[in-house]
Amino acid sequence: MKKLFFLIFTSICATTNTLAQDPNFYIFLCFGQSNMEGAARPEAQDLKSAGPRFLLMPAVDDLQRNRKMGEWCEATPPLCRPNTGLTPADWFGRTLVTSLPENIKVGVIHVAIGGIKIQGFLPDSIADYVKTAPSWMKGMLEAYENNPYERLITLAKKAQKDGVIKGVLMHQGESNTQDPKWAGMVQQVYDRMLGDLKLKPEEVPLFAGNIVQADGKGVCIGCKKQIDELPQTIHTCQVISSDDCSNGPDRLHFDAAGYRELGCRYGEAVARFLGYEPKRPHIDMPQKIEVPADAFIAETTVPGNEFPKVDKDGRAYFRIQAPEARKVIVDICSKKYDMQPDGKGGFMAVTDPLPVGFHYYFMNINGVNFIDPATETFFGCNREAGGIEIPEGAEGNYYRPQQGIEHGQVRSIYYYATATQEWRHAMVYTPAEYEKNAKKRYPVLYLQHGMGEDETGWSKQGHMQHIMDNLIASKEAVPMIVVMESGDIKAPFRGGDNRQGFSEYGASFYKVMTQDLISTIDSKFRTLTDRDHRAMAGLSWGGHQTFDLVLNNLDKFSYLGTFSGAIFGLDVKTAYNGVFADADTFNKKIHYMYMNWGSDDFIKSGDMVKQLRELGIKVDANESKGTGHEWLTWRRGLHEFIPHLFKK
């Protein structure tokens, strides 16, 4: 009777276990070192779930993703541990569920440790291995309670209650490169797995992925041969080729595209073994941007870089290596362009044809602007910025350095301003002849930049020194000194009263100019110190400052110029205590007045010029064709203004 009861009970238990186990749930054990662990940052397409047919039994807890060790969940990166990356197992599973009938699920159990030797998976040697493991590996070992093999087997036994183990995926060997005992130790690990899980090698083969090749320059390329020969030791082993799988810059780990390709190859091999025709899941291929042969490296590119480039139609080509980024944008000329990933950690973009001239630009990740490391930096937009020059033709030679002429200098000076109780900085241009005649004195032009730029703008973005050199060499302009100061308008405009003559933004500069800067320049340089030999001009808000300073200090200046001058709401009959109302007096005091703006500028001075002329004020003006509020407008304005200075 007891024997009969035992047989009935055993039969019931067996039936219960059989019912619980799903024969259409195929489980795969994944183990190895860093390339199985995953070293590439997942990209957007990797993070999309393949659905409930591809599952992961986590080998460690992951609180961030609400995963518990030993409990099935949908398989999305990271499969190994928190803070690991994309692995071949990710796209192995995606390929398999695409290739197999819809009633079959795929599950993976994933245990891997970067840098671990095969000895770290041998049960008999793991204790000694842990004792000698490098410090950087100890935390990873501890995640598996210092026995990664035991963790894998414990979870595999649990998984066998749910499904059927169909294969073992391995990617290991780099740390055992050219170790003659490696193949034998892999066999020991594999045989022990099969024995502990009561599996047959013909039913559960080993799939071993090969290493990063990097066109023969892989760091562990010596390991390739021993992996290729592994089937000679393990007859059920199949090697997964890594030929042409792309890699990261370290030539040791695959990049995201390489992991996808290798993972698909694992999946295809397993699908064939299971008797199914392999089908690849959709992989978003990066849009390939063709760079025309006539594209050239931009003059603003940091030497030694291949990008940014510009083609004959004015399109700009940008490239950046950002393996940790998921989306990168380049923002230029009021338009944002999505940079296309190349699958190797790089991003590239091409713009629409851009207007000729200089343009600021930024790259952006997750809303944060940063400067393209391949471009020179320029202070603009209230901060350091990237910049690119879209070249004009020969018509732009006036702001380019020319051979066969003498060139002046742009000097950097520091001075103490009593008006603001601080040390300040200015850039000073001296003509080529300045050093030759120690007795000659020169007139001075004070030249101001615009809002959000600084004292380097006119020499870096504006090429002021080349404009001056070329005009002086052609005798169109007299030799002069040019002084450029920050003007206290580097920071953003924050409101306040900024009527002409009552400015708050940048007004701290006015006392600096009248009390400190002029006297400093006159003491440090050989200047002509009377008003007839002193001029001021400025672009945008620098034009606003020029009006405020010159028109309130006619005892100090006799020339005035603005380029896209930010002068708004000016009543020319009453402004500056009616300075324009008496045209005869004004025209005697101001020897030359000039204003320019761009045809596409959002700041235009045409109406003001008309009103001034109606009052009898002598003012020259010009509209720069095809340009906006930009440096090409202001270069043209300076080029037209300079020849009229100091010739009375």
Side-chain angles (χ1 to χ4, degrees):
M1 186 70 181
K2 289 182 179 179
K3 185 175 181 181
L4 178 61
F5 177 80
F6 176 77
L7 290 173
I8 293 172
F9 177 78
T10 304
S11 175
I12 291 172
C13 290
T15 302
T16 302
N17 287 337
T18 301
L19 290 174
Q21 186 187 59
D22 182 356
N24 291 323
F25 185 15
Y26 294 176
I27 297 165
F28 298 86
L29 311 183
C30 308
F31 79 100
Q33 58 184 101
S34 57
N35 271 313
M36 181 58 80
E37 183 183 67
R41 187 181 183 90
E43 297 176 345
Q45 61 182 315
D46 307 312
L47 296 170
K48 297 176 183 176
S49 171
R53 289 181 58 214
F54 180 29
L55 302 177
L56 167 72
M57 179 180 279
V60 297
D61 291 338
D62 186 342
L63 299 179
Q64 179 183 345
R65 296 169 183 83
N66 198 28
R67 294 175 178 176
K68 293 192 69 175
M69 180 178 69
E71 295 185 4
W72 292 108
C73 61
E74 288 192 11
T76 55
L79 301 186
C80 189
R81 298 185 310 280
N83 303 317
T84 57
L86 191 66
T87 93
D90 283 290
W91 285 81
F92 155 76
R94 293 169 186 268
T95 301
L96 212 51
V97 296
T98 303
S99 303
L100 272 53
E102 291 188 3
N103 65 319
I104 296 178
K105 295 186 298 183
V106 174
V108 294
I109 302 172
H110 198 286
V111 174
I113 295 177
I116 195 168
K117 292 185 177 182
I118 195 62
Q119 290 92 327
F121 289 98
L122 282 169
D124 297 336
S125 64
I126 182 61
D128 290 336
Y129 188 84
V130 169
K131 292 177 183 177
T132 59
S135 58
W136 53 264
M137 189 185 292
K138 291 187 181 297
M140 294 184 280
L141 287 164
E142 288 171 0
Y144 303 113
E145 295 182 327
N146 291 319
N147 197 328
Y149 175 84
E150 184 61 32
R151 178 65 56 86
L152 185 62
I153 296 303
T154 298
L155 295 178
K157 288 179 178 179
K158 183 177 183 180
Q160 282 182 304
K161 299 176 183 179
D162 303 317
V164 183
I165 295 176
K166 290 288 187 176
V168 178
L169 277 58
M170 181 186 79
H171 199 288
Q172 198 279 332
E174 293 97 331
S175 294
N176 292 89
T177 299
Q178 297 181 337
D179 182 348
K181 298 180 180 180
W182 176 77
M185 288 186 284
V186 172
Q187 184 177 27
Q188 291 179 54
V189 174
Y190 176 59
D191 289 348
R192 183 69 178 263
M193 282 183 181
L194 298 180
D196 287 345
L197 297 171
K198 298 179 174 54
L199 302 170
K200 297 178 181 180
E202 291 77 12
E203 296 176 355
V204 184
L206 175 68
F207 299 88
N210 223 313
I211 47 81
V212 165
Q213 297 184 46
D215 297 323
K217 298 178 182 178
V219 172
C220 296
I221 194 65
C223 186
K224 182 179 183 303
K225 185 174 184 291
Q226 67 190 45
I227 296 176
D228 284 337
E229 293 176 352
L230 189 58
Q232 297 176 18
T233 302
I234 304 173
H235 73 281
T236 58
C237 174
Q238 183 175 154
V239 174
I240 309 302
S241 170
S242 63
D243 291 357
D244 301 319
C245 288
S246 54
N247 56 274
D250 62 2
R251 294 182 289 112
L252 178 62
H253 299 102
F254 298 98
D255 59 19
Y259 282 118
R260 291 187 202 108
E261 177 61 29
L262 188 63
C264 287
R265 293 179 187 182
Y266 271 103
E268 290 168 338
V270 171
R272 292 189 189 97
F273 167 74
L274 296 172
Y276 296 97
E277 184 66 27
K279 297 178 184 177
R280 286 203 173 198
H282 172 73
I283 298 178
D284 292 333
M285 299 303 292
Q287 176 185 342
K288 189 172 182 181
I289 295 175
E290 298 289 345
V291 182
D294 65 4
F296 53 89
I297 297 172
E299 66 180 72
T300 41
T301 300
V302 173
N305 290 280
E306 295 183 11
F307 290 86
K309 286 184 174 179
V310 181
D311 68 18
K312 64 180 179 62
D313 295 319
R315 295 181 181 87
Y317 299 80
F318 300 97
R319 187 173 71 187
I320 189 170
Q321 196 69 19
E324 298 297 310
R326 295 179 186 172
K327 183 176 182 179
V328 186
I329 293 170
V330 61
D331 185 348
I332 185 170
C333 292
S334 302
K335 184 171 181 178
K336 296 179 179 180
Y337 300 85
D338 288 332
M339 299 190 75
Q340 302 300 318
D342 62 8
K344 301 179 182 181
F347 292 80
M348 193 167 180
V350 57
T351 69
D352 298 332
L354 301 174
V356 294
F358 175 87
H359 307 291
Y360 298 112
Y361 75 94
F362 291 98
M363 291 180 175
N364 184 292
I365 295 178
N366 296 332
V368 178
N369 284 340
F370 65 95
I371 303 170
D372 180 357
T375 190
E376 299 284 359
T377 58
F378 307 84
F379 196 91
C381 311
N382 309 109
R383 55 166 291 183
E384 293 289 345
I388 189 169
E389 185 80 24
I390 307 300
E392 287 190 284
E395 68 273 19
N397 286 343
Y398 70 90
Y399 57 79
R400 299 182 179 120
Q402 302 296 321
Q403 293 183 338
I405 67 170
E406 293 184 318
H407 300 277
Q409 300 178 16
V410 178
R411 311 178 185 208
S412 170
I413 70 163
Y414 288 86
Y415 69 101
Y416 189 78
T418 57
T420 53
Q421 298 292 302
E422 64 183 349
W423 285 95
R424 299 178 66 99
H425 181 239
M427 308 297 292
V428 181
Y429 166 84
T430 55
E433 66 174 47
Y434 186 82
E435 304 297 330
K436 294 181 178 180
N437 187 343
K439 294 183 179 180
K440 184 174 179 179
R441 293 187 172 272
Y442 294 86
V444 184
L445 165 65
Y446 289 85
L447 183 62
Q448 289 305 114
H449 57 86
M451 181 186 299
E453 293 165 334
D454 74 357
E455 63 272 21
T456 65
W458 267 110
S459 55
K460 288 192 71 176
Q461 293 97 293
H463 301 317
M464 170 278 312
Q465 65 275 32
H466 306 316
I467 296 173
M468 297 300 304
D469 289 341
N470 294 333
L471 286 172
I472 293 170
S474 66
K475 301 191 183 305
E476 295 175 76
V478 301
M480 68 187 75
I481 293 170
V482 182
V483 180
M484 297 150 283
E485 222 267 9
S486 77
D488 296 338
I489 56 173
K490 294 168 69 172
F493 174 69
R494 294 188 174 92
D497 187 349
N498 281 289
R499 292 171 294 160
Q500 280 68 33
F502 300 92
S503 299
E504 293 181 15
Y505 178 65
S508 54
F509 174 61
Y510 298 170
K511 286 186 178 180
V512 171
M513 169 74 94
T514 57
Q515 295 179 21
D516 298 290
L517 182 57
I518 291 174
S519 60
T520 296
I521 296 302
D522 287 344
S523 66
K524 289 182 177 291
F525 296 88
R526 300 192 310 276
T527 63
L528 294 167
T529 60
D530 59 300
R531 67 175 300 277
D532 289 329
H533 293 93
R534 191 177 296 127
M536 187 173 182
L539 68 89
S540 193
W541 201 264
H544 182 115
Q545 291 183 309
T546 296
F547 259 49
D548 280 1
L549 274 163
V550 172
L551 298 177
N552 282 318
N553 296 277
L554 288 174
D555 59 322
K556 294 179 173 64
F557 300 94
S558 59
Y559 295 86
L560 181 156
T562 67
F563 320 119
S564 302
I567 305 161
F568 309 109
L570 184 74
D571 183 345
V572 296
K573 296 179 181 178
T574 61
Y576 301 104
N577 298 315
V579 70
F580 297 120
D582 186 346
D584 289 340
T585 300
F586 181 86
N587 292 335
K588 289 176 183 177
K589 288 186 175 182
I590 295 296
H591 302 325
Y592 183 73
M593 182 176 178
Y594 172 86
M595 304 179 79
N596 101 313
W597 59 93
S599 61
D600 302 325
D601 212 323
F602 66 86
I603 296 179
K604 297 178 183 288
S605 303
D607 287 344
M608 187 185 304
V609 169
K610 180 181 177 182
Q611 293 172 32
L612 289 170
R613 286 175 175 169
E614 288 174 351
L615 291 177
I617 301 297
K618 294 180 181 178
V619 53
D620 270 359
N622 190 36
E623 183 176 82
S624 171
K625 301 301 181 185
T627 61
H629 203 70
E630 58 186 283
W631 278 101
L632 190 52
T633 298
W634 309 325
R635 291 173 189 169
R636 290 175 177 175
L638 183 65
H639 184 245
E640 293 169 355
F641 177 60
I642 292 297
H644 298 276
L645 300 184
F646 312 122
K647 290 188 174 178
K648 276 194 174 287

